Amino acid sequence: MALETAIESCGAGEGLLRIVQDIYSGATSSVSVAEGKTPNIPVLSGIRQGCPLSGLLFIMAVDPVVSALQGTDAGHRVLAFADDLCLLADNAPDLQSKINDAREGLERLGLSINASKCASLHLSGRTPVGVRDSIFRISGVPMKPLAEGDAAAFLGAQVGFHVIPHKSTLADIIDLGLKLARSKLAPWQRIDALKTFFLSSAVHLQRMGTYSKSDWKTVDEILRPEIKATLNLPQEASNEYLYGSTLRGCCGITKLAEDSDIAAVDSAFKLLTSPDGRVTREAVDHVRDVTRRRIGRIPSNSEVGSYLSGENEGPFRETRGGGVASVWSRARNASGRLAASWSLDGPLSITHAGTTMRAKQRREVMKTMRDHFRAVRGTTLIEKPDQGRAMECVAAHAASNHFLRAGDFCRFADWRFVHRARLNLVPLNGSSSWRTGDRRCRRCGNNIESLAHVVNHCMRYTSLFMARHNSLVARLKKAADGKFEVVSENQAIGAQRLRPDLILRRGTTTLIIDATVPFDNRMKAFEEAADENRAKYEELRKEIAAEHPGEVTVFPFIVGSLGSWDPANDVLVRQLCSRAYAKLMRKLCVSEVIGYTRDVYTEHISGVRARHG
């Protein structure tokens, strides 16, 4: 059979041949129906579907046909992937000859070509430049000729001349995104599904240039309100919170319009730095030819780099060329918008935002550019005077946003509250400086009803403030359990009769711990709270050190009322517990504080107590 011949001709050896003979000799199949299984059906042709060996066997069988079609030509004459073939020729008679050769070679393997699933494209550079309506046949059956604007799919990419993207397909993309954003999944699951399955799947289309940047911008604009609704944010909420870096406390959602430019640059760079020398040479020759047509003469390396960088001055001021989009023209336009600079003087490199990437970093281009723009947006958000104050604290430690991906220890009510609160977008009388009317606290009459006042200072909620504080102390005790002895817990001690939350001791090491929940008003608020605690307990520290020689340290333990974890806490936590429990403890502390703060706010607005302190 054809498989045996293929295995023998490629020198795979007797071992593989015997395995294949054992698999395929006398092979049968049956079909399960309502009445049971059908009698065995002999399998006389084809390869086993789902078998991990099948792909390799098919390649071994088809390779002689593909090699014969390629012949000795230096340029590509055939492109093949699994059972998809793309034949290339310089003229119509040669292409028809190759089609005939392909049909005959495949028929010898027991394979046939379905003309109704094939298409042809005849491009001519002679005036008028464009598509010719040449007819090519398979066993006398005509193939569909592609007209200008038509397209056929080859390996997921549209092939044609001046292809007009199918807007229905773009509508399908939008519809899929909306279905995910409006699904019955938990809100954090919807965000994760969009990031993991929807947004990442667009990269292939972006690399192929199937849709323009403006098309992807449309998708962004349609999905943005849905994402904000998922986060329970008003539409005036800063877009930076959606698209900024998770390292800056933001959601890290991909901006498709921007990503389409990055993908165009990345694809061009990968072609020019391919580990396959033949691919690299052809890519370099092609981009040189495109540059030559743009400037009207043979370009230097520097001019090729300028072309790819989007330069429009000097020899690039005048527009030349056929107006046909290519991977290089897309990369050029994208590089100009992204401010990416290419250099072909010496080893090929691309520089963006001060970072230079060469062939060794070819897999890092897209990530590096994405991370830069996300970081810029995150920094922009933090610098905002109103929406950025709490975000500076959130960005200081990843634990502050731990619930964003999986919703760990996060109530739905807390999710709906925390994003608004961190951006200072909750409705309060004094929440914005531009708000007119009575700005006093509706419960205690304080001059300004700000979020900081409500969740940290309004004395009506003292019991909830204490419960929030005590939840942190309980977590600290549990973390230290079995490793430290609790010497004192909220007891008056020392000459000043101070009441630190915990005094822990192990051997000659004594820890004085005091938990504090300040408002997340930039990191300076945390630093001031920590300094105040250290100063407050300094005399007590000296007294204990005099009575118990050894190391005595004051540790402020700070979690912002909006769930910001102070990175300085980690020094203490590392002494108290294992790394694994420390990770869990951070999540629990952050989530519990957010929960109590949300309950304070809800009671303030509604007048109904959500939980008892």
Side-chain angles (χ1 to χ4, degrees), residues 23-41:
I23 291 174
Y24 285 92
S25 296
T28 62
S29 65
S30 61
V31 180
S32 294
V33 295
E35 292 77 14
K37 290 186 177 181
T38 65
N40 287 339
I41 304 169

Tab-separated table of all heavy atoms in Angstrom, residues 23-41:
chain	number	residue	atom	x	y	z
A	23	ILE	N	-1.022	-1.941	12.541
A	23	ILE	CA	-2.153	-1.042	12.803
A	23	ILE	C	-3.186	-1.110	11.685
A	23	ILE	O	-4.399	-1.150	11.931
A	23	ILE	CB	-1.656	0.412	12.982
A	23	ILE	CG1	-0.852	0.547	14.276
A	23	ILE	CG2	-2.834	1.397	12.997
A	23	ILE	CD1	-0.199	1.912	14.446
A	24	TYR	N	-2.715	-1.148	10.434
A	24	TYR	CA	-3.627	-0.974	9.306
A	24	TYR	C	-4.050	-2.275	8.623
A	24	TYR	O	-5.068	-2.294	7.925
A	24	TYR	CB	-2.998	-0.029	8.275
A	24	TYR	CG	-3.031	1.417	8.731
A	24	TYR	CD1	-1.971	1.977	9.424
A	24	TYR	CD2	-4.142	2.206	8.483
A	24	TYR	CE1	-2.004	3.288	9.861
A	24	TYR	CE2	-4.195	3.525	8.908
A	24	TYR	CZ	-3.118	4.066	9.604
A	24	TYR	OH	-3.173	5.363	10.028
A	25	SER	N	-3.304	-3.346	8.802
A	25	SER	CA	-3.678	-4.605	8.146
A	25	SER	C	-4.914	-5.191	8.820
A	25	SER	O	-4.937	-5.415	10.039
A	25	SER	CB	-2.520	-5.610	8.216
A	25	SER	OG	-1.406	-5.129	7.495
A	26	GLY	N	-5.939	-5.421	8.027
A	26	GLY	CA	-7.170	-5.996	8.562
A	26	GLY	C	-7.936	-5.064	9.474
A	26	GLY	O	-8.773	-5.520	10.270
A	27	ALA	N	-7.688	-3.753	9.371
A	27	ALA	CA	-8.373	-2.793	10.245
A	27	ALA	C	-9.855	-2.706	9.897
A	27	ALA	O	-10.246	-2.773	8.727
A	27	ALA	CB	-7.729	-1.413	10.108
A	28	THR	N	-10.675	-2.604	10.924
A	28	THR	CA	-12.124	-2.462	10.736
A	28	THR	C	-12.645	-1.375	11.659
A	28	THR	O	-11.968	-0.945	12.599
A	28	THR	CB	-12.860	-3.778	11.047
A	28	THR	OG1	-12.630	-4.115	12.421
A	28	THR	CG2	-12.390	-4.907	10.148
A	29	SER	N	-13.864	-0.948	11.381
A	29	SER	CA	-14.532	0.012	12.256
A	29	SER	C	-16.000	-0.351	12.332
A	29	SER	O	-16.506	-1.127	11.513
A	29	SER	CB	-14.362	1.441	11.735
A	29	SER	OG	-15.023	1.592	10.497
A	30	SER	N	-16.683	0.199	13.321
A	30	SER	CA	-18.122	-0.021	13.446
A	30	SER	C	-18.762	1.261	13.939
A	30	SER	O	-18.086	2.142	14.477
A	30	SER	CB	-18.419	-1.177	14.402
A	30	SER	OG	-17.931	-0.887	15.701
A	31	VAL	N	-20.056	1.359	13.760
A	31	VAL	CA	-20.792	2.562	14.132
A	31	VAL	C	-21.802	2.208	15.212
A	31	VAL	O	-22.535	1.218	15.087
A	31	VAL	CB	-21.518	3.171	12.914
A	31	VAL	CG1	-22.272	4.435	13.323
A	31	VAL	CG2	-20.526	3.471	11.801
A	32	SER	N	-21.822	2.997	16.280
A	32	SER	CA	-22.799	2.784	17.346
A	32	SER	C	-24.113	3.457	16.970
A	32	SER	O	-24.144	4.662	16.710
A	32	SER	CB	-22.278	3.355	18.671
A	32	SER	OG	-21.150	2.637	19.109
A	33	VAL	N	-25.178	2.675	16.917
A	33	VAL	CA	-26.513	3.194	16.624
A	33	VAL	C	-27.446	2.797	17.753
A	33	VAL	O	-27.037	2.128	18.714
A	33	VAL	CB	-27.024	2.656	15.265
A	33	VAL	CG1	-26.171	3.183	14.129
A	33	VAL	CG2	-27.028	1.133	15.259
A	34	ALA	N	-28.708	3.207	17.649
A	34	ALA	CA	-29.660	2.949	18.731
A	34	ALA	C	-29.802	1.461	19.023
A	34	ALA	O	-29.984	1.045	20.176
A	34	ALA	CB	-31.018	3.560	18.380
A	35	GLU	N	-29.734	0.640	17.982
A	35	GLU	CA	-29.925	-0.803	18.166
A	35	GLU	C	-28.643	-1.512	18.575
A	35	GLU	O	-28.623	-2.729	18.759
A	35	GLU	CB	-30.453	-1.432	16.868
A	35	GLU	CG	-31.865	-1.010	16.488
A	35	GLU	CD	-31.899	0.392	15.894
A	35	GLU	OE1	-30.823	0.905	15.539
A	35	GLU	OE2	-32.997	0.987	15.808
A	36	GLY	N	-27.542	-0.786	18.673
A	36	GLY	CA	-26.261	-1.396	19.017
A	36	GLY	C	-25.210	-1.031	17.991
A	36	GLY	O	-25.328	-0.019	17.291
A	37	LYS	N	-24.186	-1.850	17.871
A	37	LYS	CA	-23.112	-1.583	16.918
A	37	LYS	C	-23.360	-2.313	15.607
A	37	LYS	O	-23.890	-3.426	15.587
A	37	LYS	CB	-21.762	-2.020	17.495
A	37	LYS	CG	-21.270	-1.150	18.641
A	37	LYS	CD	-19.863	-1.547	19.066
A	37	LYS	CE	-19.341	-0.629	20.163
A	37	LYS	NZ	-17.963	-1.001	20.577
A	38	THR	N	-22.959	-1.667	14.525
A	38	THR	CA	-23.079	-2.288	13.207
A	38	THR	C	-22.023	-3.380	13.064
A	38	THR	O	-21.049	-3.422	13.831
A	38	THR	CB	-22.868	-1.245	12.101
A	38	THR	OG1	-21.519	-0.759	12.178
A	38	THR	CG2	-23.831	-0.078	12.267
A	39	PRO	N	-22.183	-4.258	12.091
A	39	PRO	CA	-21.113	-5.228	11.804
A	39	PRO	C	-19.827	-4.488	11.434
A	39	PRO	O	-19.846	-3.332	11.008
A	39	PRO	CB	-21.673	-6.025	10.618
A	39	PRO	CG	-23.152	-5.847	10.700
A	39	PRO	CD	-23.371	-4.475	11.250
A	40	ASN	N	-18.708	-5.149	11.600
A	40	ASN	CA	-17.415	-4.535	11.289
A	40	ASN	C	-17.340	-4.130	9.823
A	40	ASN	O	-17.751	-4.881	8.929
A	40	ASN	CB	-16.280	-5.502	11.606
A	40	ASN	CG	-16.079	-5.645	13.107
A	40	ASN	OD1	-16.490	-4.779	13.873
A	40	ASN	ND2	-15.461	-6.744	13.523
A	41	ILE	N	-16.808	-2.930	9.604
A	41	ILE	CA	-16.658	-2.385	8.253
A	41	ILE	C	-15.167	-2.344	7.939
A	41	ILE	O	-14.396	-1.696	8.659
A	41	ILE	CB	-17.243	-0.967	8.171
A	41	ILE	CG1	-18.715	-0.969	8.620
A	41	ILE	CG2	-17.098	-0.409	6.764
A	41	ILE	CD1	-19.275	0.428	8.829
